Amino acid sequence: MTVDAVRTHGLAKRFGRQVAVAGVDLTVPAGSFAGLVGPNGAGKTTTLSMITGLLRPDGGGAEVAGFNVWRDPVEVKARIGVLPEGLRLFERLSGRELLIYNGRLRGLPRAEVAGRAEELLRVMDLTEAADKLVVDYSTGMRKKIGLAAALLHNPSVLFLDEPFEGVDPVSANTLTEVLRRFTASGSTVIFSSHVMDLVERLCDWVSVMAGGHIVAQGPLDEVRAGRSLNQAFLDLVGGGSRDSGDEGLSWLGAQR
Amino acid sequence: MNTFRLFAGLKLRLIAGNLRGAVERKVGFVFTLIAAAFVAGIGFLSMSAIRFAEPDLAADLGVVVFSALVVGWAVIPLLSFGVDDTLDPSRLSLFPLRTREMAIGLFAASATGAWPLATLIALLGGVVGLSRGLAGALVGIAAVLLVFALCLVVSRLITTALSSALRSRRGRDALAVAAIGIVLLFQLPNVIVNRGVGDPTALLHGAAGVLRWTPPGLAATSISTGNPLWLVPVAAAIVLIGWLWIKALARALVTPDSSSQAASVRGSTGLLDRLMPDGPLSAVVYKELRYIRRDPRFRVGWLVSLVVVGVLAFSQSGGDSTAGPGLVIWLTCLGAVMIGAQQQFGNMFGADGRALWMNAVVYATDRDLRTDLRGRHLAATTIAVPLIAVLAVAAGMFTGATSGILPAMLLGWGLLGVAFGSGALTSVLVPYTIPDRLNAFTGAAPGQGGQAFLGSMGAMMATGVVGLPIIVPVVLGIGWMGVVALPYGVAIALLGEHLAAKIARMRMPEILDAVTKAA
């Protein structure tokens, strides 16, 4: 039996009185293209931050490729690539400088890094903007350069928080192509999203979060069980039966 | 009139909104109110007190103070652009308002608030201080209202005309650095008086002679002479500036935001990077040097420390022929401490801010973090070491006490090392968020002023105490002890890096949280 790419048990975090993550047991088999879906505030970002070692959990533990995130940081950090949501990059470096900085920080030789950076910039269609400062990049360009930086050291597990938010269709297509190729080689991608169509199209493994818990998890077909993923999701998180606003908002769309 | 009331109400509601926020915002709001009340009170009283001066002097003072108020209104809103939403016309461009309504509305919003009220009250003090008789007082009130209106339209014209530049990244960067110039400008009278350049009364008279013919000067003159005719050009100026403002506003509302157009930067590798062995250390140095050149916060930090040393040197070395090597040593050490006390060294991870995660997902061992801290120190050293040398030589040549140059230089370098070592520790013990948007009023995110204060005070105190063993002998005249200062400083810096790296590895999630607070 192969080791799971990610496995957490009872992972928990509270901010003050508010419980953000209430005991998450997330499992992602190695080599899968996994989607972590859930409504806003379900605890997706908090969970990913704890697994990548950026946030200290209040309880429970997390393993990446069999190594404990908090006890074996050397092994874990060498294996993961991360693209958090909304967090900044080193804004005053150019796109190329950012990639080279990242690679060299991880101890890759300069010439090797320069070569990889050049290739990544080309694939991401950023060659023209390579010498502009990241602070001047658009949202889509940021996501692409962030992904390039996360891929540069050839990680075996890639964590992406809302990688497609604010990205135009062309760039999104580029991103998915790169990610598909990445998982085809046996590496693992875990990304959070609330765009069900996208998850349905890309993923072979789905974990559904709601209210700080995992409410369903498994291969895509098993989770959706004949329904569309969107319907399955609404059924799971309990949003399907809610009235669609027939009683309120009567003025909306009325004759002006 | 409706528009006027609507916008004034909107501004009041924005101000009142501060009371519903977090405790820090409430405290900030109350502090602003107290400060405004203080300025209003002091302004009114001191303007009234002009009455007790000789009539000529009083008239001159009135002219200068009125002009200064208008200049203040022109400049200060620039510094808080982006903090006060009512200053940016683009926020309102989607509302169905005609330019005229918009102009009235923005004018109303400008006139509402604690600071406009404080200005008005201070100006009214001028009526008490300058006017003669009842007719004079009536003229005075008219003049004060005109000057108040002038303040508002001038500030509106400037922020509107520059709004598209201020929204762009380059514009903000440039402004951040220019802000130092503005702060310095306010220090100018101080320096002049300290240096005893000429007779203050004569200077005042000279300045008033020129400023008398500007609109605020004319208004002040009309109060002191009781002649309402002087107000005609003032009113004309308001109409003209107001007209220009409305034109600028109409243009600003339909001009697209050009802030996303950007130029390329040069991709040179840098001499130092080529000389150093390949690896994480040189990567950090490379990044750090680029940041010093490109990030306005870094540029401002370096510039401020240079300017402070320059001003002190200028005001302390004047005309004192007895100054010996002691002064050279004092100035050089001061320079070294000022450089080492910059925010970027006492809060090293705060300087990365929201980008720190990029390092945090890489660094797994003490050694990684030590490399990071050392890289930052090395990059700063390549600038600071020559700078301190130049400072020591310049101070030595200037005072003629050349024997002080070498001990001063060595001690300065040593103290820099001590400052780096202490700063590394405060960086990991009391990290705090440095706001992305630099503004001239605060160096920390809301609610973290305490940490910022603790951090910088801690670093300064530690530098002073740990630096004593090298400062005392050199100050006592045992110049050769300077030789010990340099290795001592290097040792302290290395020790600081070592301990800070250990702490940082254990506390990284907490540090990350502390430096990414919403600003």
Side-chain angles (χ1 to χ4, degrees):
Chain A
M1 192 196 126
T2 54
V3 185
D4 285 329
V6 174
R7 174 178 284 279
T8 75
H9 46 90
L11 208 55
K13 182 77 191 175
R14 58 164 66 223
F15 296 107
R17 278 227 218 101
Q18 197 203 343
V19 177
V21 173
V24 159
D25 299 306
L26 179 76
T27 311
V28 177
S32 49
F33 200 135
L36 180 60
V37 300
N40 294 327
K44 304 186 294 286
T45 298
T46 311
T47 305
L48 289 184
S49 299
M50 289 191 286
I51 302 174
T52 49
L54 293 176
L55 184 68
R56 198 186 299 281
D58 293 335
E63 284 175 10
V64 172
F67 294 101
N68 186 295
V69 172
W70 295 95
R71 278 198 299 275
D72 260 330
V74 180
E75 299 291 340
V76 171
K77 288 186 174 182
R79 283 174 173 75
I80 62 172
V82 185
L83 177 60
E85 184 203 6
L87 282 176
R88 300 294 189 79
L89 309 162
F90 282 105
E91 309 275 306
R92 304 283 163 162
L93 298 180
S94 71
R96 179 181 282 118
E97 286 167 347
L98 182 76
L99 293 185
I100 291 177
Y101 169 70
N102 251 279
R104 293 179 64 197
L105 204 58
R106 288 183 179 271
L108 297 171
R110 191 176 354 206
E112 173 70 28
V113 174
R116 288 189 190 186
E118 212 54 53
E119 270 184 74
L120 282 165
L121 287 167
R122 205 181 53 241
V123 171
M124 301 286 180
D125 199 21
L126 286 172
T127 311
E128 252 177 65
D131 291 319
K132 292 188 172 144
L133 297 190
V134 174
V135 69
D136 295 325
Y137 276 19
S138 66
T139 311
M141 290 158 85
R142 276 164 186 280
K143 297 270 181 189
K144 287 196 283 184
I145 199 75
L147 181 62
L151 286 169
L152 189 75
H153 59 290
N154 188 25
S156 55
V157 187
L158 193 56
F159 295 90
L160 312 169
D161 199 353
E162 303 281 3
F164 298 101
E165 211 173 56
V167 179
D168 68 87
V170 179
S171 302
N173 197 44
T174 314
L175 290 182
T176 53
E177 283 308 312
V178 174
L179 293 177
R180 277 219 172 98
R181 208 190 317 170
F182 180 71
T183 46
S185 66
S187 308
T188 313
V189 171
I190 298 155
F191 79 97
S192 73
S193 178
H194 39 232
V195 185
M196 293 303 147
D197 290 345
L198 197 72
V199 176
E200 199 158 23
R201 200 152 49 81
L202 294 176
C203 298
D204 48 33
W205 183 273
V206 183
S207 304
V208 184
M209 272 192 91
H213 292 279
I214 297 275
V215 292
Q217 143 169 285
L220 177 67
D221 289 327
E222 221 169 85
V223 171
R224 63 182 167 185
R227 302 161 289 185
S228 74
L229 184 61
N230 199 43
Q231 192 55 51
F233 177 74
L234 291 177
D235 291 348
L236 281 164
V237 304
S241 60
R242 205 174 297 160
D243 70 85
S244 45
D246 282 346
E247 288 133 47
L249 301 184
S250 56
W251 50 271
L252 193 60
Q255 214 58 43
R256 267 166 282 258
Chain B
M1 206 57 218
N2 256 341
T3 326
F4 194 93
R5 238 181 316 167
L6 178 70
F7 272 78
L10 181 69
K11 178 73 176 283
L12 283 178
R13 208 165 286 196
L14 273 175
I15 296 172
N18 279 323
L19 280 177
R20 277 197 298 269
V23 178
E24 298 86 20
R25 283 183 71 170
K26 286 183 200 161
V27 171
F29 177 62
V30 170
F31 179 77
T32 308
L33 282 189
I34 294 173
F38 184 76
V39 167
I42 295 290
F44 185 83
L45 287 178
S46 50
M47 289 290 278
S48 313
I50 293 180
R51 192 166 196 93
F52 301 111
E54 288 171 47
D56 273 1
L57 184 64
D60 286 351
L61 272 172
V63 166
V64 171
V65 173
F66 273 40
S67 308
L69 268 173
V70 175
V71 171
W73 268 86
V75 170
I76 290 170
L78 281 180
L79 302 184
S80 59
F81 192 88
V83 180
D84 181 356
D85 284 341
T86 61
L87 292 177
D88 187 351
S90 76
R91 298 274 166 148
L92 299 167
S93 64
L94 286 181
F95 290 98
L97 290 171
R98 265 180 281 282
T99 308
R100 204 181 61 90
E101 290 172 314
M102 183 85 84
I104 293 172
L106 287 174
F107 187 80
S110 286
T112 316
W115 288 109
L117 191 63
T119 309
L120 195 59
I121 293 174
L123 280 170
L124 283 172
V127 180
V128 179
L130 293 172
S131 66
R132 302 281 177 263
L134 181 66
L138 285 177
V139 173
I141 288 172
V144 161
L145 288 177
L146 283 177
V147 172
F148 184 58
L150 184 70
C151 285
L152 299 183
V153 289
V154 164
S155 101
R156 279 300 179 188
L157 172 65
I158 288 180
T159 47
T160 306
L162 294 179
S163 66
S164 96
L166 288 175
R167 269 199 308 277
S168 81
R169 202 240 328 142
R170 267 169 197 285
R172 283 200 307 273
D173 286 6
L175 187 71
V177 179
I180 302 176
I182 295 169
V183 171
L184 203 65
L185 205 67
F186 284 107
Q187 288 298 312
L188 202 62
N190 239 338
V191 174
I192 290 174
V193 172
N194 272 349
R195 287 278 284 180
V197 183
D199 171 26
T201 333
L203 271 178
L204 181 73
H205 190 67
V210 178
L211 294 173
R212 178 152 315 169
W213 305 106
T214 62
L218 287 171
T221 310
S222 85
I223 304 178
S224 55
T225 58
N227 184 351
L229 272 183
W230 292 116
L231 293 178
V232 177
V234 182
I238 293 171
V239 170
L240 176 69
I241 294 171
W243 180 78
L244 283 174
W245 167 48
I246 291 172
K247 286 283 150 211
L249 184 64
R251 208 172 53 105
L253 289 177
V254 293
T255 309
D257 192 352
S258 62
S259 54
S260 58
Q261 290 161 13
S264 294
V265 291
R266 272 186 307 132
S268 65
T269 44
L271 180 67
L272 194 67
D273 191 47
R274 259 171 286 154
L275 290 177
M276 286 178 68
D278 191 18
L281 183 64
S282 65
V284 175
V285 172
Y286 178 86
K287 178 211 90 181
E288 202 63 13
L289 285 175
R290 253 139 206 75
Y291 258 74
I292 291 172
R293 209 174 62 207
R294 292 177 190 158
D295 192 326
R297 291 176 300 180
F298 281 64
R299 279 199 301 226
V300 166
W302 282 94
L303 218 62
V304 165
S305 48
L306 286 186
V307 164
V308 170
V309 174
V311 167
L312 280 171
F314 185 69
S315 58
Q316 300 220 336
S317 60
D320 189 358
S321 55
T322 58
L327 186 65
V328 182
I329 291 170
W330 158 240
L331 282 177
T332 312
C333 289
L334 192 72
V337 172
M338 283 305 299
I339 292 170
Q342 286 177 62
Q343 214 177 21
Q344 41 173 312
F345 303 123
N347 184 21
M348 294 163 94
F349 296 110
D352 288 343
R354 296 167 73 78
L356 180 62
W357 68 269
M358 292 200 96
N359 290 342
V361 295
V362 177
Y363 297 150
T365 63
D366 291 356
R367 191 161 165 269
D368 293 336
L369 282 148
R370 210 158 53 229
T371 307
D372 183 74
L373 296 175
R374 191 159 301 159
R376 292 166 198 250
H377 285 156
L378 263 180
T381 304
T382 59
I383 299 171
V385 163
L387 211 59
I388 291 171
V390 168
L391 191 62
V393 171
M397 303 297 258
F398 200 59
T399 57
T402 43
S403 66
I405 293 179
L406 193 63
M409 207 184 286
L410 290 169
L411 183 58
W413 288 338
L415 275 179
L416 185 71
V418 174
F420 279 175
S422 337
L425 280 176
T426 54
S427 300
V428 294
L429 293 175
V430 275
Y432 58 93
T433 306
I434 302 174
D436 286 330
R437 178 168 278 163
L438 195 115
N439 81 55
F441 305 116
T442 170
Q448 286 190 312
Q451 278 97 315
F453 180 75
L454 204 66
S456 53
M457 279 314 283
M460 289 279 248
M461 302 259 285
T463 306
V465 172
V466 181
L468 275 183
I470 50 175
I471 298 173
V472 171
V474 176
V475 170
L476 289 179
I478 315 172
W480 60 267
M481 275 294 283
V483 179
V484 185
L486 184 55
Y488 181 81
V490 172
I492 296 292
L494 292 178
L495 183 68
E497 287 166 6
H498 184 83
L499 292 174
K502 270 193 189 312
I503 299 168
R505 188 185 54 74
M506 290 184 287
R507 293 197 62 203
M508 192 40 98
E510 286 72 29
I511 293 175
L512 198 60
D513 179 55
V515 302
T516 52
K517 293 256 187 268

